[in-house]
């Protein structure tokens, strides 16, 4: 293993990985990761608007993972399965800007709904995303954790690019979901023409 | 009634709700994992305040970050204040955003579009998170 450290280091450098984390998230760990991300961004990013966008996306991703894992751990303990609460977060900074990757196992039965949701968001322009956000905020029903589908819309708005995603089947009941939220290096307006509401 | 004086933390905002002056302030960061738990006492406070509000109520929002789970709770605060206004009392919202923080300005405009309260968008160099 010790001989592989250089290779690992080399890979992380080549892929411009700012941060990578695997394991179970706790509220304390989320705070620590966000603190680390904020400090790293102070050095890597001059534009405050981009810094804030990256921070926001990382925060929403971590919260998504956290709530998803909690939900899954609860389901696992009641069904007798052991494996809940794991996930991966990777933040990379390259020529395309910042990429916030997350990955987690999820129930196969929930894949179709999530895929439809992501495709819907990817089919929306900035103004449509804004309207969708406002409608969901005003009319949406919310889970006890407060989610209710705003997180993905918010990420799509801040990204300004399509959400990249993948599903890899793990077994009959479980699928690994991966998401990349890419944030452009330069400041992009959330929507093209500013107008008063 | 008692005022609310909460010091900010890395995940929760500074809150000053003053029933004597009618000044309600929310400053800093609102990024807790469970926002409902944090905001419930604030929403309850406004319910109580609404029974005998000041002639003029000002909600001053100066947030650097807030998560989507807080955004619903903040909307609930606005909705409570909307009721105060509908009962015939003056209520105003001052929404602060940092220079270059278009996203925060848009977030304020989104609320403005949903809520029938007078909003004032105020650009600042840096939000006061103390």
């Amino acid at each position: 293993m010790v001989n592989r450290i250089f290779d690992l280091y080399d890979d992380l450098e080549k892929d411009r990985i700012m941060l990578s984390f695997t394991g179970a998230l706790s509220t304390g760990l989320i705070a620590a990761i966000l603190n680390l991300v904020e400090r790293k961004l102070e050095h890597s990013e001059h534009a405050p608007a981009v810094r804030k966008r990256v921070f926001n996306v990382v925060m929403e991703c971590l919260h998504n993972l956290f709530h998803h894992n909690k939900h899954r751990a609860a389901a696992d303990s009641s069904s007798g399965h052991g494996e809940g609460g794991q996930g991966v977060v990777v933040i990379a900074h390259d020529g395309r800007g910042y990429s916030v990757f997350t990955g987690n196992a999820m129930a196969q039965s929930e894949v179709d709904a999530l895929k439809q949701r992501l495709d819907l968001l990817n089919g929306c322009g900035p103004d449509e995303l804004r309207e969708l956000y406002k409608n969901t905020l005003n009319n949406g029903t919310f889970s006890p954790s407060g989610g209710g589908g705003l997180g993905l819309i918010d990420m799509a708005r801040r990204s300004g690019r399509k959400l990249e995603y993948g599903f890899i089947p793990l077994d009959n009941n479980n699928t690994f979901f991966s998401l990349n939220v890419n944030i452009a290096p330069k400041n992009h307006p959330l929507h093209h023409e500013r107008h008063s509401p | 009634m008692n005022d609310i004086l909460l010091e900010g933390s890395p995940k929760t905002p500074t809150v000053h709700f003053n029933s004597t002056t009618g000044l309600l302030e929310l400053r800093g960061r609102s990024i807790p994992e469970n926002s409902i738990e944090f905001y419930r006492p604030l929403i309850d406070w406004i319910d109580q305040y609404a029974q005998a509000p000041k002639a003029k109520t000002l909600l001053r929002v100066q947030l650097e970050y807030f998560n989507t789970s807080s955004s619903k709770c903040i909307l609930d605060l606005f909705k409570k204040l909307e009721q105060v206004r509908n009962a015939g009392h003056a209520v105003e919202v001052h929404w602060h955003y940092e220079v270059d923080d278009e996203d925060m300005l848009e977030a304020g405009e989104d609320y403005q579009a949903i809520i029938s309260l007078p909003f004032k968008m105020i650009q600042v160099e840096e939000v006061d998170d103390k």
Side-chain angles (χ1 to χ4, degrees):
Chain A
M1 175 64 198
V2 77
N3 297 321
R4 286 188 54 222
I5 295 296
F6 176 77
D7 294 335
L8 270 173
Y9 170 72
D10 201 40
D11 284 348
L12 290 171
E13 283 289 304
K14 271 189 207 134
D15 289 338
R16 305 283 199 97
I17 306 295
M18 283 173 64
L19 181 141
S20 133
F21 174 85
T22 62
L25 284 170
S26 63
T27 57
L29 271 172
I30 291 175
I33 293 172
L34 287 176
N35 187 18
L36 189 61
V37 169
E38 199 167 18
R39 276 156 203 266
K40 284 213 161 196
L41 284 170
E42 278 167 20
H43 294 285
S44 70
E45 184 55 56
H46 298 300
V50 176
R51 267 205 307 257
K52 285 184 180 165
R53 268 187 192 149
V54 176
F55 183 88
N56 267 298
V57 168
V58 174
M59 172 181 70
E60 290 295 333
C61 282
L62 291 173
H63 287 174
N64 268 356
L65 266 185
F66 176 75
H67 289 301
H68 171 77
N69 287 341
K70 235 166 66 171
H71 165 75
R72 203 171 147 83
D76 282 349
S77 62
S78 61
S79 69
H81 291 269
E83 173 254 342
Q86 296 292 318
V88 55
V89 183
V90 176
I91 305 168
H93 178 209
D94 59 23
R96 285 186 71 215
Y98 293 85
S99 291
V100 182
F101 301 92
T102 43
N104 58 271
M106 65 182 286
Q108 173 65 37
S109 57
E110 292 166 0
V111 168
D112 283 349
L114 178 58
K115 191 176 176 306
Q116 275 174 23
R117 178 100 188 131
L118 290 161
D119 289 340
L120 172 84
L121 296 179
N122 280 343
C124 287
D127 290 339
E128 287 165 304
L129 284 174
R130 190 176 190 180
E131 283 311 307
L132 190 61
Y133 183 91
K134 280 192 280 193
N135 286 335
T136 311
L137 177 63
N138 201 17
N139 307 317
T141 50
F142 286 80
S143 62
S145 59
L150 279 176
L152 282 176
I153 310 175
D154 187 64
M155 287 190 240
R157 280 181 83 183
R158 293 187 198 270
S159 160
R161 289 179 167 148
K162 303 298 173 202
L163 301 169
E164 292 173 21
Y165 63 86
F167 294 99
I168 300 166
L170 297 172
D171 55 41
N172 284 339
N173 302 317
N174 296 288
T175 293
F176 191 83
F177 167 57
S178 47
L179 178 70
N180 174 19
V181 185
N182 189 264
I183 296 128
K186 271 200 312 197
N187 195 4
H188 71 87
L190 277 186
H191 62 142
H192 302 302
E193 289 173 352
R194 297 203 46 75
H195 54 81
S196 298
Chain B
M1 67 185 288
N2 290 331
D3 294 341
I4 296 187
L5 286 169
L6 295 176
E7 222 175 288
S9 77
K11 287 188 185 180
T12 56
T14 298
V15 182
H16 288 179
F17 282 7
N18 189 323
S19 61
T20 316
T21 60
L23 177 62
L24 282 48
E25 289 187 278
L26 210 55
R27 286 201 300 265
R29 297 177 172 204
S30 181
I31 57 171
E33 286 78 20
N34 188 338
S35 302
I36 293 174
E37 204 175 270
F38 180 81
Y39 278 92
R40 186 167 293 131
L42 309 187
I43 289 162
D44 291 346
W45 188 93
I46 296 184
D47 259 340
Q48 210 193 329
Y49 172 79
Q51 293 172 12
K54 293 287 122 188
K56 195 182 164 201
T57 304
L58 173 63
L59 173 64
R60 189 182 282 156
V61 184
Q62 298 198 56
L63 291 174
E64 190 189 6
Y65 290 110
F66 66 94
N67 59 4
T68 53
S69 130
S70 297
S71 64
K72 174 68 166 80
C73 297
I74 294 169
L75 179 70
D76 287 343
L77 287 184
F78 286 141
K79 285 193 167 164
K80 290 287 174 197
L81 289 173
E82 210 175 24
Q83 288 169 15
V84 174
R85 184 167 188 260
N86 290 343
H89 310 280
V91 181
E92 201 177 321
V93 178
H94 287 184
W95 183 271
H96 297 247
Y97 64 98
E98 292 183 353
V99 186
D100 294 338
D101 196 350
E102 284 275 296
D103 294 11
M104 191 56 83
L105 171 61
E106 291 212 350
E109 290 173 352
D110 289 350
Y111 282 120
Q112 191 178 18
I114 296 174
I115 291 291
S116 58
L117 286 174
F119 271 68
K120 200 167 166 185
M121 303 298 173
I122 299 170
Q123 194 186 71
V124 291
E125 279 300 314
E126 206 170 303
V127 292
D128 171 13
D129 56 5
K130 294 293 158 339

